[in-house]
């Protein structure tokens, strides 16, 4: 550059600096450690305000990426709301090594619908950590028949887009462990859920009114559905999930109300059910409803002593019959494939299709289904108002 006039050199340097500073602001990366906001990693003092403040700082920072960091330790938390929209384009909450614990008095979480609620956020991820809601005292209250609060969902995402939940453990939730409600583009991976097989309403992952949701390689042991798929779920893929104990992977309960958005495009692949109450289930209350289920692929499932490996129940009534609606369900179920489902059934009726008389099931296809009782006894199937076809090996013998 020796021969170039000075102003050329200065212009070049200025442009270079401009480019560099732009690049660094667009890749800006800021960490917010909850300890700097006064969190107590011994679990003795409450850390709710510190988490809330760290989130607000990360969310409002601006720039490309901000993270809330939770270092190893135990953190006592009351209900926290992580609210968007954020100025930062991506926000991550990193909790590797940390355990968040709920307060000993179950009424503190129990009076709130969720413990950790992310609302109206986008491009947000939650990584690692153990969430221990310590829900067993609320379960005991519910079991005793006393008047108890409903309980809080441990981790909920509402009205949010582009969400990742990865390598996180939820144990002993009061109600649902994880709930995805009114969200788009959600990726859940490597999640572990643990709660007693008798714990009430502790669904592992609940999805509703959401689209483009992927649930991968997760291990779920709980007292209710491992995964429940509520009204308005579209484009949900579940792959590599182990369930048990639990009530299975369920579409429903549907027909909670008369006007209900349908469930569409669901793929459930490579799953294992061990000692569960159900395997692959679709359930609706016996109530008039314009809801529907359309386009479901249940592919490659292994049943290990599951009670109802394959079940469609349109007269769902888990409680006293007199308290159920006892009408004719009219939720329309169509285009459901069962392929490569094998293993053992704990009950003699391994396949049960109890569909609506008003709106029968159509397009049910079974291909290579092989379910035996332990000890190689043959199983049976039972059909009411169910239409479709069986292809390849199908045992129990199809009643479609
Ligand atoms: C989400 O991330 C994408 C890709 O980086 C970005 O284009 C978009 O603006 C982000 N959305 C929000 C609301 O920040
Ligand atoms: C859970 O709650 C009970 C009271 O219901 C309390 O005795 C116990 O210490 C709590 N456990 C944890 C891990 O906080
Ligand atoms: C579901 O996926 C299909 C195909 O991948 C896509 O065309 C459709 O827009 C998606 N639906 C929603 C509600 O995102
Ligand atoms: C099926 O899922 C299990 C986890 O439950 C995983 O280890 C295995 O690799 C998956 N198999 C295929 C073929 O994807």
């Amino acid at each position: 550059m020796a021969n170039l006039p000075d102003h050329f050199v200065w212009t070049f340097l200025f442009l270079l600096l401009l480019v560099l500073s732009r690049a660094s602001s667009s890749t800006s990366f800021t960490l917010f450690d909850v300890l700097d906001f006064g969190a107590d990693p011994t679990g003795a003092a409450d850390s709710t305000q510190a988490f809330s403040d760290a989130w607000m700082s990360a969310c409002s920072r601006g720039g490309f990426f901000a993270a809330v960091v939770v270092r190893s330790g135990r953190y006592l938390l009351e209900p926290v709301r992580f609210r968007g929209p954020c100025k930062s384009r991506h926000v991550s909450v990193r909790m590797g090594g940390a355990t968040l614990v709920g307060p000993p008095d179950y009424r503190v979480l129990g009076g709130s619908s969720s413990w950790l609620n992310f609302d109206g956020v986008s491009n947000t991820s939650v990584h690692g950590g153990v969430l221990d809601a310590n829900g067993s005292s609320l379960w005991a209250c519910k079991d005793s028949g006393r008047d108890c609060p409903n309980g809080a969902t441990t981790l909920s995402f509402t009205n949010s887009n582009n969400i990742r939940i990865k390598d996180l453990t939820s144990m002993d939730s009061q109600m649902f462990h994880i709930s995805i409600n009114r969200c788009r583009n959600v990726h859940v991976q490597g999640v572990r859920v643990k709660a007693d097989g008798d714990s009430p309403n502790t669904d592992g992952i609940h999805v509703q009114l959401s689209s483009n949701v992927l649930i991968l390689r997760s291990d779920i042991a709980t007292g209710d559905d491992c995964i429940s798929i509520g009204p308005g779920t579209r484009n949900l893929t579940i792959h590599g999930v182990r369930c048990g104990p639990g009530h299975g992977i369920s579409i429903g309960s549907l027909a909670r109300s008369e006007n209900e958005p349908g469930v569409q495009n669901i793929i459930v692949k490579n799953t294992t059910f061990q000692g569960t109450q159900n395997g692959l289930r679709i359930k609706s209350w016996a109530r008039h409803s314009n809801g529907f289920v359309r386009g479901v692929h249940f592919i490659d499932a292994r049943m290990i002593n599951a009670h109802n490996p394959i079940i469609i129940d349109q007269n769902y009534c888990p409680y006293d019959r007199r308290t159920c609606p006892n009408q004719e369900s009219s939720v329309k179920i169509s285009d459901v494939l069962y392929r490569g489902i094998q293993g053992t059934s704990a009950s003699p009726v391994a396949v049960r299709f109890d569909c609506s008389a008003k709106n029968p099931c159509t397009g049910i296809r079974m291909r290579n289904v092989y379910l035996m009782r332990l000890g190689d006894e043959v199983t049976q199937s039972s059909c009411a108002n169910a239409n479709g076809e069986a292809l390849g090996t199908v045992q129990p013998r199809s009643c479609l």
Side-chain angles (χ1 to χ4, degrees):
M1 288 193 194
N3 299 332
L4 291 173
D6 267 353
H7 71 273
F8 257 92
V9 175
W10 286 112
T11 307
F12 174 76
L13 283 175
F14 175 75
L15 286 174
L16 185 69
L17 277 173
L18 194 69
V19 166
L20 283 176
S21 70
R22 292 231 147 173
S24 78
S25 86
S26 72
T27 56
S28 70
F29 185 102
T30 323
L31 303 183
F32 297 87
D33 188 330
V34 293
L35 296 178
D36 294 337
F37 292 82
D40 174 11
T42 69
D46 183 85
S47 295
T48 311
Q49 193 61 47
F51 274 64
S52 179
D53 291 347
W55 168 264
M56 296 233 269
S57 301
C59 177
S60 59
R61 173 70 169 75
F64 188 76
F65 181 87
V68 172
V69 178
V70 186
R71 299 188 191 282
S72 299
R74 288 173 72 76
Y75 299 85
L76 183 62
L77 288 183
E78 295 192 355
V80 200
R81 193 101 179 261
F82 302 95
R83 217 185 283 230
C86 292
K87 280 197 185 144
S88 314
R89 270 187 283 157
H90 302 84
V91 185
S92 180
V93 178
R94 314 214 142 229
M95 303 190 286
T99 299
L100 314 191
V101 292
D105 181 349
Y106 63 77
R107 287 170 300 190
V108 178
L109 296 189
S112 184
S113 61
S114 50
W115 181 21
L116 310 170
N117 172 226
F118 289 82
D119 184 43
V121 300
S122 17
N123 297 345
T124 298
S125 66
V126 177
H127 277 243
V130 176
L131 312 178
D132 180 358
N134 193 15
S136 60
S137 49
L138 177 62
W139 311 336
C141 174
K142 288 182 172 179
D143 282 346
S144 74
R146 271 179 292 147
D147 200 15
C148 318
N150 266 338
T153 290
T154 285
L155 174 63
S156 74
F157 277 87
T158 46
N159 308 304
S160 296
N161 302 326
N162 307 335
I163 303 306
R164 278 181 86 90
I165 302 172
K166 196 156 181 268
D167 298 335
L168 168 140
T169 299
S170 170
M171 52 193 284
D172 298 342
S173 62
Q174 288 193 331
M175 271 274 289
F176 296 176
H177 290 264
I178 297 174
S179 157
I180 312 288
N181 189 0
R182 298 182 188 275
C183 295
R184 269 188 301 132
N185 303 334
V186 181
H187 189 132
V188 179
Q189 184 176 336
V191 161
R192 276 175 305 276
V193 166
K194 285 183 216 151
D196 201 278
D198 292 328
S199 54
N201 295 109
T202 52
D203 295 29
I205 303 174
H206 176 74
V207 182
Q208 67 175 29
L209 299 170
S210 296
S211 59
N212 304 332
V213 179
L214 190 57
I215 300 174
L216 294 181
R217 290 192 288 284
S218 294
D219 209 328
I220 302 173
T222 194
D224 206 306
D225 291 327
C226 287
I227 300 178
S228 51
I229 302 163
T233 302
R234 308 225 165 165
N235 293 2
L236 163 67
T237 298
I238 295 169
H239 196 183
V241 166
R242 280 196 301 190
C243 170
H247 293 184
I249 293 181
S250 300
I251 295 176
S253 317
L254 303 178
R256 272 185 197 283
S257 61
E258 191 153 340
N259 258 313
E260 192 175 85
V263 173
Q264 200 168 350
N265 292 347
I266 309 294
I267 299 174
V268 179
K269 205 170 167 194
N270 182 26
T271 47
T272 301
F273 297 85
Q274 181 153 21
T276 50
Q277 188 199 74
N278 306 283
L280 305 164
R281 171 162 71 158
I282 301 175
K283 57 176 167 171
S284 76
W285 298 93
R287 177 184 285 124
H288 180 74
S289 167
N290 58 7
F292 63 85
V293 177
R294 184 188 299 153
V296 181
H297 289 193
F298 292 119
I299 299 172
D300 297 338
R302 201 155 69 97
M303 302 288 166
I304 305 166
N305 220 23
H307 248 275
N308 303 298
I310 292 178
I311 178 168
I312 295 179
D313 181 3
Q314 293 206 256
N315 287 296
Y316 180 62
C317 184
Y319 317 117
D320 185 343
R321 277 268 158 211
R322 285 167 303 183
T323 67
C324 285
N326 291 314
Q327 300 165 17
E328 188 60 61
S329 171
S330 57
V331 168
K332 173 71 181 176
I333 298 177
S334 60
D335 188 14
V336 182
L337 170 72
Y338 298 88
R339 195 182 80 202
I341 317 294
Q342 43 197 291
T344 52
S345 172
S347 69
V349 179
V351 175
R352 192 152 79 86
F353 297 128
D354 182 6
C355 294
S356 160
K358 201 158 157 193
N359 227 345
C361 296
T362 53
I364 297 186
R365 283 168 299 144
M366 307 189 77
R367 182 174 207 125
N368 300 338
V369 171
Y370 193 82
L371 295 163
M372 298 298 275
R373 293 203 71 184
L374 275 180
D376 261 3
E377 257 179 84
V378 293
T379 49
Q380 291 138 40
S381 57
S382 145
C383 290
N385 312 307
N387 303 295
E389 58 180 355
L391 299 158
T393 312
V394 173
Q395 163 64 42
R397 202 147 65 89
S398 167
C399 55
L400 288 168

